[in-house]
């Protein structure tokens, strides 16, 4: 599967609308997780692999190459980190963490009531 480039056909869109290219990218195994894990600090390959729990080195390497090619992640002397665009994306995603906690609580409360 090629890189999800806006303006080119991607999963879910023949025209490659930018939002669909982003959804295609973030829907790939561990892409979103890598952005999430790098949102606060850089990490070496090994540190990032440990943060991502069960990711294989092969998959991590592939996703990092994609995220670097799409200018969301960069490699520095400190390891891997988010680019300016990657940081902006992480800031957009962060509010979903609070929402997901509320959602999880609601589901837990609701299942206890049933």
């Amino acid at each position: 599967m090629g890189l999800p480039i806006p303006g080119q056909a991607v999963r879910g869109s023949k025209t490659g609308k930018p939002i669909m290219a982003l959804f295609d990218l973030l829907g790939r195994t561990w892409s979103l997780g890598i952005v999430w894990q790098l949102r606060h600090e850089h990490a070496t390959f090994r540190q990032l692999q440990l943060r991502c729990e069960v990711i294989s080195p092969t998959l991590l390497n592939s996703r990092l190459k994609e995220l670097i090619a799409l200018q969301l992640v960069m490699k520095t002397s400190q390891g891997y980190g988010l680019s300016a665009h990657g940081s902006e994306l992480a800031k957009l995603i962060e509010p979903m963490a609070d929402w997901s906690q509320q959602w999880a609580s609601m589901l837990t409360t609701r299942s206890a009531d049933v």
Side-chain angles (χ1 to χ4, degrees):
M1 184 181 319
L3 287 176
I5 306 289
Q8 297 178 10
V10 296
R11 283 186 303 173
S13 175
K14 292 179 184 176
T15 60
K17 293 190 185 296
I19 190 70
M20 296 307 291
L22 178 63
F23 287 160
D24 184 346
L25 173 66
L26 296 180
R28 293 176 181 206
T29 306
W30 277 109
S31 290
L32 182 57
I34 292 167
V35 170
W36 186 252
Q37 293 301 326
L38 292 174
R39 74 191 185 284
H40 293 303
E41 61 184 354
H42 286 67
T44 64
F45 187 90
R46 182 72 178 130
Q47 290 168 333
L48 189 54
Q49 187 179 13
L50 290 172
R51 287 184 200 172
C52 292
E53 302 165 11
V54 295
I55 192 170
S56 74
T58 303
L59 181 57
L60 178 56
N61 189 48
S62 294
R63 290 298 175 257
L64 285 170
K65 284 181 180 178
E66 291 175 353
L67 292 166
I68 289 168
L70 294 168
Q71 300 178 20
L72 296 176
V73 169
M74 58 187 178
K75 188 167 183 179
T76 70
S77 61
Q78 301 162 341
Y80 296 93
L82 294 178
S83 67
H85 270 31
S87 292
E88 288 178 33
L89 176 60
K91 286 177 188 172
L92 293 171
I93 294 167
E94 257 185 331
M96 290 195 293
D98 291 335
W99 181 90
S100 69
Q101 291 296 327
Q102 294 169 3
W103 178 53
S105 293
M106 178 197 68
L107 292 177
T108 302
T109 303
R110 196 170 237 193
S111 65
D113 293 340
V114 175

